[in-house]
Amino acid sequence: MGTRTRLATLFATLVLSAAGCGSTSSSPTVPTGASSDASVRVGSVDPSAPSASASVIVLADGVQGGVGLWRFRAPDQWTAIGPTPGATWVARTAAGVALVVGQNVELRSSSDLARVAATIGLKWPGVAPSAPVVAVDRAPGGKLALVTSDGSSVAYAVASADGAVTVLQPAPAESFTPLVAWLDDTRLLVLSTNNQQVSTLAVIDTAAGTMTPIRTVGGITFFALSSDRVTLVASTAGDIFVAPVSKWIAGTQPQKIASVGAFRVIWGLALDSNGTHLALLSGAVSADGHVSQVHEVGYTRGASAWSQSFDNAAPFTTSRGQVWVP
């Protein structure tokens, strides 16, 4: 089984386990071809990094025996916000976060993440898919982008602000990781594969009906946008790259800011509002692919380079997305 299929299978397994029994013991499997060091590293921990700037919201297990929301404030403060039974993904919105729970998208304000402020019911054409929604993003104008996966295949869709769903075409037939993010109200960022089966970023223009690959970096496993949608971070099996979205699309090689070694895996990338702070989840991988020792690791952009700003053990074993919220 290829690494793309393994991660897609993993994500679907995590989602189904979360909906069915609350918590799981699985985590992302390590991509093939990682380098030889056993830690995430770049520079050293920066003790002067402002701790108040770090507020990362993670959807993960370990909250009252099931899946729920955690808040992390650097360098080491974890707070359980509350359980979210059946939730399969968390995404950032302008006012807070969006949680996928079955066929509903719950909107929650950053000022009260424990309470559902509004709910958008997904209205599929015909019968709703049996595969769960494993990724979602909300455009500035309110439209939703959705990815469903049953572990062996993925499907992409968009929904109006009131939840009316339309199948997205064109869309990736295969993705290393089922992720989606709006660049603006018409363009979507996704992961696709080229004719050599290499994972790359691609931009879908929903108005023009086109999908254009970004060829700067191959082998991408995860990505995330800053909330102002100006900065893009992406990871491969061994490296993390950051650059303005405009430079990625223009074909300019992005800056490598960190490396990950063998026996480690990275997922859950999250950038803050202006792309100054990066948070990621990292774990140690055993020979059978089991991930343990999950850590939240942060980097801060300085005047000329990025430096590691925190590294703290997480109080959970699996996650279903994380976002940076003011």
Side-chain angles (χ1 to χ4, degrees):
M1 182 183 293
T3 50
R4 294 185 308 281
T5 304
R6 284 193 287 111
L7 275 197
T9 301
L10 169 73
F11 268 75
T13 300
L14 291 180
V15 166
L16 293 171
S17 298
C21 64
S23 63
T24 70
S25 59
S26 300
S27 291
T29 47
V30 65
T32 302
S35 56
S36 59
D37 195 357
S39 64
V40 178
R41 55 182 172 78
V42 63
S44 59
V45 174
D46 180 5
S48 66
S51 61
S53 67
S55 183
V56 181
I57 305 302
V58 189
L59 177 63
D61 63 351
V63 180
Q64 297 182 21
V67 174
L69 291 177
W70 290 93
R71 183 188 293 274
F72 174 74
R73 293 189 186 278
D76 56 8
Q77 182 183 347
W78 288 98
T79 305
I81 296 172
T84 56
T88 56
W89 189 254
V90 62
R92 181 186 53 224
T93 67
V97 303
L99 282 177
V100 179
V101 183
Q103 295 301 321
N104 293 311
V105 177
E106 297 179 354
L107 304 180
R108 301 187 180 210
S109 169
S110 58
S111 62
D112 187 2
L113 290 169
R115 184 177 65 88
V116 179
T119 300
I120 302 171
L122 298 177
K123 308 173 187 67
W124 296 86
V127 179
S130 58
V133 177
V134 296
V136 68
D137 193 35
R138 198 180 194 204
K143 289 188 297 185
L144 298 171
L146 314 164
V147 189
T148 61
S149 177
D150 60 6
S152 60
S153 62
V154 295
Y156 292 75
V158 294
S160 59
D162 64 358
V165 178
T166 303
V167 175
L168 181 62
Q169 290 293 341
E174 184 178 13
S175 298
F176 189 102
T177 311
L179 296 174
V180 65
W182 289 99
L183 295 174
D184 48 42
D185 282 321
T186 60
R187 295 181 303 156
L188 282 167
L189 189 66
V190 297
L191 282 178
S192 187
T193 54
N194 62 19
N195 54 10
Q196 281 81 43
Q197 295 298 296
V198 176
S199 177
T200 62
L201 290 163
V203 176
I204 299 175
D205 189 320
T206 60
T210 59
M211 183 168 68
T212 306
I214 297 176
R215 304 185 187 279
T216 50
V217 177
I220 291 177
T221 57
F222 290 85
F223 68 83
L225 290 175
S226 56
S227 57
D228 61 10
R229 305 177 194 272
V230 171
T231 305
L232 168 61
V233 58
S235 63
T236 65
D239 302 309
I240 302 172
F241 299 89
V242 176
V245 171
S246 59
K247 290 190 175 182
W248 281 89
I249 293 176
T252 303
Q253 188 70 16
Q255 177 188 9
K256 185 174 79 172
I257 67 166
S259 295
V260 59
F263 317 116
R264 303 294 296 186
V265 64
I266 286 177
W267 72 101
L269 302 175
L271 284 169
D272 67 349
S273 59
N274 61 4
T276 300
H277 299 285
L278 166 66
L280 58 89
L281 293 169
S282 175
V285 184
S286 61
D288 63 2
H290 178 73
V291 176
S292 61
Q293 302 175 35
V294 178
H295 278 229
E296 189 76 70
V297 184
Y299 296 92
T300 299
R301 185 176 65 190
S304 59
W306 289 75
S307 61
Q308 187 173 308
S309 50
F310 56 82
D311 184 340
N312 186 254
F316 49 78
T317 59
T318 69
S319 73
R320 294 149 186 85
Q322 67 174 14
V323 294
W324 211 297
V325 174

